[in-house]
Amino acid sequence: MLLALIKTLRPRQWIKNLFVAVPLMYGQRLTDPSSLLITAGAVALFCLISGCVYILNDLVDVEKDRAHPKKRNRPIPSGKLPEVVARRFAVICVPVCLALGYWLQPLYAAALGGYFALNLAYSFKLKQIAYVDVLSIAAGFILRVLAGALALGIPASPWLLGCTGLLAMFLGFGKRAHELAGAEDPQKQRAALAAYNLTTLRIILYALGVATVGLYVAYTLSDHVLELFGTNRLAWTAVFGVVGIARFIFLSTTRREAESPTEEMLKDPLFMLNFVVWIALTAALLYGWI
């Protein structure tokens, strides 16, 4: 039953919560043990509370999922995780997470609560509205970065919040384009897909890709970066952003058989190598290791 509960919490989706740690790196706190512990706790609470949203979503959709060829094998529809156990876990876990978040930092708890409320709204209504669905996802990523900054008690950079929002919209619209291109019955797969147009989505995807890279380059060359880090060499990392954006567009437009382009990119050796090198170079430049 424990394994069924963990599976229902969707641990493979928790990688998104690493955005909570963005302020840790760019706030130059990566080598501070206290900040590392605070950020680890902040990320963990986001993982738990996002998992509770998945539980509530599965409870609401349990009858539909039992009629679905794939979703019926999930722990709750299949009966491996009793509904009453899942319900009690969510009812207990959410207030405990918010209380621990308040203990960590009251403003962080506010961001965590806002994230939970936004995800509930998304699960039960906003995901059915075209374009609003992706904007809601982007807002969730912005809240993650903001929460990470609040947990550490440091200012949230408007530049990083802007880059995060654009990147999240880019990934979100890329996923919608991928779903629409491969769906035989778009509305049956996702209600909002019926109102999307594939050509429009691809135009938006390319425009957001350019905008994301452009804003990131502007950030690396800004007086803000020069004042904080004493160098504009962070601009060197922009090439990895270009490669990552281009690779995601390739994966989302050519791998139609894949379940999701965001999951596909995490399995793609070229994308992951580019990402790891980008992180390593960024850290080296921010902390004066090179």
Side-chain angles (χ1 to χ4, degrees), residues 38-229:
I38 291 171
T39 299
V43 171
L45 291 176
F46 260 82
C47 291
L48 281 174
I49 210 160
S50 61
C52 287
V53 174
Y54 286 120
I55 288 178
L56 294 172
N57 198 33
D58 284 356
L59 286 170
V60 170
D61 294 339
V62 64
E63 294 303 327
K64 291 181 180 178
D65 290 349
R66 282 173 180 153
H68 193 279
K70 290 184 178 180
K71 293 181 180 180
R72 67 185 179 187
N73 295 318
R74 288 177 176 176
I76 294 178
S78 67
K80 293 177 182 177
L81 179 64
E83 291 180 48
V84 63
V85 174
R87 190 177 295 109
R88 286 175 181 172
F89 178 85
V91 168
I92 294 171
C93 187
V94 170
V96 169
C97 285
L98 293 175
L100 289 173
Y102 187 85
W103 174 76
L104 192 67
Q105 165 45 251
L107 289 176
Y108 164 81
L112 184 65
Y115 173 83
F116 178 69
L118 174 66
N119 274 267
L120 281 182
Y122 174 81
S123 295
F124 299 119
K125 182 62 179 178
L126 300 181
K127 69 178 181 181
Q128 302 170 12
I129 307 173
Y131 298 99
V132 173
D133 58 340
V134 175
L135 293 177
S136 301
I137 293 171
F141 277 91
I142 292 172
L143 277 172
R144 286 180 175 97
V145 176
L146 180 61
L150 291 171
L152 293 175
I154 60 178
S157 168
W159 288 97
L160 290 180
L161 292 176
C163 287
T164 298
L166 285 174
L167 178 61
M169 285 191 287
F170 169 77
L171 296 175
F173 282 119
K175 185 176 181 180
R176 293 295 178 270
H178 178 269
E179 290 171 341
L180 191 58
E184 294 181 4
D185 187 350
Q187 189 169 5
K188 188 175 181 181
Q189 180 173 327
R190 187 187 294 272
L193 285 181
Y196 279 116
N197 175 273
L198 186 57
T199 301
T200 302
L201 278 175
R202 287 181 173 169
I203 292 172
I204 291 173
L205 182 64
Y206 283 105
L208 284 172
V210 172
T212 302
V213 172
L215 185 61
Y216 181 74
V217 171
Y219 164 66
T220 62
L221 296 174
S222 68
D223 293 337
H224 173 78
V225 164
L226 185 60
E227 182 180 342
L228 279 179
F229 310 123

